[in-house]
Amino acid sequence: MSELYLRVVSGIVMAVVFLFAIFMGGWLFAALIGVMSAIIWSEWTNIMLPDGDDRAKLVGFVCIAIMTIALLFFSGTFLFITIIAAFGIASSLLLSWSGGTRGVSGLLYAGGFLIAMVSLRGGFESTAGLIAILYLCVTVWFTDIGAYFVGRLVGGPKLAPSISPNKTMSGAMGGIIAAAFGAWIIIIVSGVHNQGGLLLLAIVLSAVSQMGDLFESGIKRRAGVKDSGYIIPGHGGMMDRVDGLLFAAIVLWVFSVVINGLVAPATALFV
């Protein structure tokens, strides 16, 4: 079985499962993101803490599980306190059990993705949450597609040759333009208000997603590995697939929380 065939088949399967969970929302989406976050934590520790204490790795999994359950069943102040307490205790243990600041950073990385994605999507009935996640994912996916094809066709100066030698400045611009186009489709079809503001936000999120891609590439280059893992046939690890989405999701969540607060943050922007 060729690598290209594996890549295509696994890509289709991932897309179908992920889109189904997005449309369903609620516990199904939260559970999927929780599993993805746990895999991200596992890959992070394998790269950044290859000789770390096994207890430090376990405490991260427990923390992510607690945060997933809290996001499913709690809300408001109690949810906030539970997540802060879980992260605070886990961080203290990581610092004690050879996890160090790298362990805490990894927990922020994986946990931030979990909190942002689940909070933005909300429950089964949240139409605003559905639109928010579709807008986010389309923006990031179109960024990747545009950057890949424009970079290959146009070429030119490298974006960050010391980190990722294949990325070009033309590709980065192509990704931003493609992201704006993809986001505009979601904006128009969904009929949300503040369409101009969301279009500008999509441009920002596109740039942020490319920064996330470079960040993960820098981690792998520093560790001397090609892929973050091998869990996805033909695609490498989970971190390889969600690096841009992770950064963009956190930025969109923070922006939404600033505008609308911690409860149902997506309703401020996507109505």
Side-chain angles (χ1 to χ4, degrees):
M1 190 176 295
S2 68
E3 183 177 349
L4 178 60
Y5 179 79
L6 280 173
R7 185 177 180 88
V8 171
V9 172
S10 61
I12 292 172
V13 172
M14 283 191 300
V16 170
V17 171
F18 194 59
L19 286 172
F20 178 73
I22 288 173
F23 278 96
M24 289 299 296
W27 67 266
L28 182 62
F29 184 73
L32 177 62
I33 300 300
V35 170
M36 292 171 65
S37 299
I39 296 171
I40 290 169
W41 166 250
S42 177
E43 292 176 350
W44 178 282
T45 55
N46 289 338
I47 294 172
M48 302 298 287
L49 302 169
D51 301 317
D53 192 320
D54 287 340
R55 295 177 301 172
K57 297 179 181 180
L58 178 61
V59 77
F61 289 123
V62 173
C63 180
I64 289 170
I66 291 172
M67 290 195 294
T68 302
I69 293 170
L71 287 163
L72 273 170
F73 296 107
F74 304 154
S75 62
T77 303
F78 193 54
L79 170 62
F80 179 75
I81 292 173
T82 302
I83 289 177
I84 291 298
F87 181 80
I89 294 170
S91 297
S92 298
L93 293 173
L94 286 171
L95 291 171
S96 302
W97 292 342
S98 74
T101 56
R102 289 185 178 185
V104 176
S105 298
L107 195 56
L108 272 173
Y109 191 74
F113 176 68
L114 169 66
I115 294 168
M117 292 291 285
V118 176
S119 296
L120 284 170
R121 178 58 183 92
F124 292 102
E125 73 288 347
S126 177
T127 301
L130 173 61
I131 297 171
I133 294 296
L134 288 175
Y135 164 88
L136 170 67
C137 290
V138 167
T139 297
V140 174
W141 292 340
F142 272 58
T143 296
D144 292 341
I145 294 169
Y148 176 79
F149 284 106
V150 173
R152 286 180 66 89
L153 289 172
V154 178
K158 302 297 183 181
L159 180 64
S162 63
I163 299 175
S164 184
N166 293 327
K167 299 186 186 303
T168 61
M169 295 180 67
S170 64
M173 290 304 301
I176 289 174
I177 294 170
F181 174 72
W184 185 247
I185 294 174
I186 298 297
I187 291 167
I188 295 300
V189 171
S190 63
V192 295
H193 301 300
N194 192 26
Q195 296 179 350
L198 287 176
L199 183 61
L200 291 175
L201 180 58
I203 293 173
V204 173
L205 293 177
S206 177
V208 168
S209 74
Q210 296 187 61
M211 291 172 59
D213 194 343
L214 289 173
F215 175 78
E216 200 247 355
S217 295
I219 289 175
K220 291 190 297 184
R221 179 170 288 273
R222 185 174 171 184
V225 298
K226 181 178 183 295
D227 296 316
S228 64
Y230 306 97
I231 193 170
I232 307 172
H235 289 267
M238 188 63 68
M239 284 173 59
D240 297 321
R241 293 301 94 207
V242 302
D243 46 10
L245 179 63
L246 189 152
F247 268 53
I250 292 173
V251 169
L252 178 59
W253 175 71
V254 170
F255 188 73
S256 300
V257 167
V258 169
I259 293 175
N260 200 54
L262 288 168
V263 179
T267 56
L269 295 173
F270 299 94
V271 292

